[in-house]
Amino acid sequence: MQNKFNRITWAVAIAAAAFASQANAGGYQINEQSVSGQGYGHAGRSSNVNDATIVFGNPAGMSFLDRAQLTAGGTYLNVNSRIRNVESERTGVVTMGGVPIGATSESVDGTNDGDMVPGTLIPFAFYAQPVNERLAFGFGVYAPFGSKTDYEGGFEGRNQGNYTEVRVISAQPTVSYRFNDQWAVGAGITYNRVNGELQRQVPVALPDGMGGANITELDARVEGDDDNWGYNLGVIFQPVPETTLGLTYRSKVSYTLTGDFRATATDASLGVPEGTVVREDNASLDLTTPETVNFSVTQQMSDNLKLMAGASWTRWSRFERILVEGETSEDPITLEQQNYSNAWAFAVGGEYQLNPQLALRAGVTIDNTPTNDATRSVRIPSDDRRIFSIGAGWTPMENLTLDVAYSYLTERGTHVDQTKTDTRELQPGVVSQVTSSYSADYKNEAHGFGAQLTYRF
């Protein structure tokens, strides 16, 4: 018998991980690697050199820093969701030798609180060290990818998914070289480690001996991890001192995610005590997170005012299908088409130096999702986003700057419509098949509160 639990949970694992490689960018690519940049909506991510966070924004920018500096901070994300117009049902059939011996159809009891994304702090730290007027080195530790949804225990859509967590931590040594007053280049190598955990309640139909059936649930969990290398490239061009153009390329990263699967009885309906592990297995999958390109321009309008604009592109068309392979069969555990679209994000922003100690910032971002209506999931119920940001930088002394920022993210209302079929062999020749469906309207918004400290040596 093929392991249907592995099929479902690992399929979601890939989807979550792939989204995670794109809370503030299309899908779930994290943008929180700079609070100074957050203040102007990351509009000048590749071209505006404020502090050591340029190690991530554009490695070429390090050679424009006048001295060594350390920047560390984080952004706290608070996400709110509303779930409305919910419809759900499941139909179960039990067959013996291919002949039905029991069937049932029912609505799924449960709640739809919508409070499924816990508050999360996303930290980062960067160090940049100019060696001379042309050469600079740097290092960064940050979270480029990440997603988490944790629905309440009685969530009505639990048969589709009720817990998802994917975490990626990257370490990036970086070097940059400035050829002259106009041109600079930079490159960084990234070491990336991914960890993931997925959970859902898998329905199983049991015959009642009278031509009907009862549906119980198994708690299905999967954990996996992997690590691999990637790289960043950047270039900065200043045709005149007032204008800075920046271009950054972040490579794809390929993983082979491996882990453990476990399905546990939630009651005694299957003839075993609650908490008994009824199925264990190993599985693996190949996952490639897509490359991204960011271009931005920073224009110094006056001694006190500079304006920025930027565009980011992510090659989500790489994510065409989910292919999961197991150890017990040469056939794929699952093969699902995804057909994601390449995604764009656009931002404009500005910074005004009110006085030598205080800089004020604001920005707006339009962030398009790579998802499509046919495959949108309760695990990642997101759509196109609009982000409005404000921020400030306070420099009480020459060597020290405190940056703070606030962002409000609102998503276009979106619809989730999922159907899954789970098959399990109860005993030789006796098979349970349950088809469950869940549809609902989601409306998401988020608040981001950021703070960072920069010390110049």
Side-chain angles (χ1 to χ4, degrees):
M1 180 191 76
Q2 289 187 348
N3 187 340
K4 299 296 181 178
F5 304 126
N6 270 328
R7 176 178 301 186
I8 298 299
T9 52
W10 273 109
V12 177
I14 298 181
F19 271 120
S21 91
Q22 173 62 350
N24 276 353
Y28 274 86
Q29 180 181 355
I30 294 176
N31 263 347
E32 284 72 26
Q33 297 89 18
S34 171
V35 172
S36 53
Q38 179 187 346
Y40 46 77
H42 301 289
R45 180 183 286 278
S46 294
S47 58
N48 195 46
V49 183
N50 261 337
D51 46 52
T53 62
I54 197 65
V55 170
F56 175 85
N58 186 340
M62 291 190 305
S63 56
F64 285 81
L65 297 172
D66 59 355
R67 51 183 160 158
Q69 48 194 275
L70 173 68
T71 301
T75 298
Y76 179 82
L77 294 178
N78 179 32
V79 181
N80 303 307
S81 300
R82 296 192 305 271
I83 304 176
R84 299 288 186 271
N85 304 319
V86 178
E87 294 182 2
S88 62
E89 63 179 6
R90 55 192 181 190
T91 301
V93 177
V94 182
T95 61
M96 178 181 292
V99 178
I101 61 172
T104 185
S105 182
E106 62 183 29
S107 298
V108 182
D109 294 330
T111 57
N112 296 278
D113 293 345
D115 184 20
M116 74 280 191
V117 181
T120 302
L121 177 65
I122 304 173
F124 58 82
F126 298 95
Y127 177 75
Q129 172 69 63
V131 177
N132 52 44
E133 293 182 354
R134 298 188 182 276
L135 182 66
F137 291 95
F139 187 80
V141 179
Y142 53 91
F145 314 149
S147 66
K148 186 173 183 178
T149 52
D150 186 6
Y151 288 90
E152 67 273 17
F155 173 51
E156 192 170 335
R158 62 190 179 275
N159 296 153
Q160 315 300 321
N162 56 358
Y163 184 86
T164 304
E165 183 172 13
V166 177
R167 304 175 303 277
V168 178
I169 300 297
S170 295
Q172 177 186 322
T174 310
V175 62
S176 69
Y177 185 80
R178 187 171 180 176
F179 295 101
N180 50 44
D181 291 341
Q182 293 182 312
W183 289 97
V185 296
I189 298 174
T190 62
Y191 170 75
N192 311 279
R193 181 157 189 86
V194 58
N195 294 273
E197 180 179 351
L198 290 305
Q199 176 188 2
R200 79 181 186 96
Q201 304 301 302
V202 178
V204 178
L206 302 173
D208 62 8
M210 297 179 291
N214 299 311
I215 295 179
T216 186
E217 294 177 344
L218 294 176
D219 181 70
R221 300 170 184 259
V222 64
E223 296 180 335
D225 58 68
D226 191 27
D227 56 79
N228 210 342
W229 298 86
Y231 62 92
N232 296 349
L233 302 174
V235 59
I236 285 181
F237 174 53
Q238 280 190 333
V240 295
E242 296 81 14
T243 304
T244 303
L245 306 175
L247 180 68
T248 305
Y249 171 85
R250 278 178 273 277
S251 75
K252 66 180 182 180
V253 179
S254 298
Y255 301 97
T256 298
L257 193 63
T258 59
D260 302 319
F261 167 78
R262 179 173 295 183
T264 305
T266 59
D267 55 39
S269 301
L270 289 172
V272 296
E274 179 181 346
T276 300
V277 176
V278 298
R279 182 71 180 179
E280 289 182 290
D281 203 353
N282 299 319
S284 66
L285 61 94
D286 292 329
L287 167 67
T288 299
T289 57
E291 58 268 52
T292 64
V293 179
N294 178 270
F295 171 79
S296 69
V297 56
T298 299
Q299 179 66 44
Q300 193 75 41
M301 306 299 293
S302 68
D303 290 342
N304 296 332
L305 176 65
K306 58 182 173 182
L307 300 179
M308 290 151 279
S312 295
W313 177 82
T314 304
R315 191 178 179 182
W316 279 113
S317 59
R318 285 191 178 276
F319 191 42
E320 297 180 351
R321 64 179 186 173
I322 296 171
L323 177 62
V324 185
E325 297 177 306
E327 295 183 344
T328 59
S329 173
E330 294 182 357
D331 296 329
I333 293 175
T334 190
L335 176 59
E336 298 182 8
Q337 299 300 321
Q338 295 298 309
N339 300 319
Y340 275 54
S341 301
N342 297 331
W344 283 90
F346 306 94
V348 294
E351 179 179 281
Y352 184 77
Q353 193 72 40
L354 187 64
N355 56 50
Q357 290 75 41
L358 185 62
L360 303 179
R361 306 175 181 122
V364 178
T365 304
I366 298 174
D367 196 355
N368 299 313
T369 182
T371 65
N372 60 71
D373 295 340
T375 58
R376 189 170 291 112
S377 166
V378 298
R379 296 187 184 272
I380 310 169
S382 62
D383 212 305
D384 295 340
R385 298 166 173 178
R386 303 294 180 265
I387 307 168
F388 306 91
S389 302
I390 57 173
W394 179 48
T395 306
M397 59 186 70
E398 183 182 1
N399 294 334
L400 187 68
T401 297
L402 172 65
D403 294 288
V404 294
Y406 165 76
S407 297
Y408 172 70
L409 180 153
T410 179
E411 283 189 359
R412 185 177 66 177
T414 195
H415 184 70
V416 171
D417 190 356
Q418 282 187 272
T419 300
K420 283 186 171 67
T421 298
D422 294 288
T423 302
R424 176 176 174 80
E425 190 173 37
L426 304 176
Q427 56 187 7
V430 181
V431 177
S432 160
Q433 185 176 80
V434 181
T435 299
S436 56
S437 63
Y438 178 85
S439 66
D441 294 326
Y442 278 73
K443 184 67 172 73
N444 305 314
E445 65 176 14
H447 305 269
F449 306 89
Q452 76 177 33
L453 196 65
T454 296
Y455 184 78
R456 303 170 186 87
F457 298 91

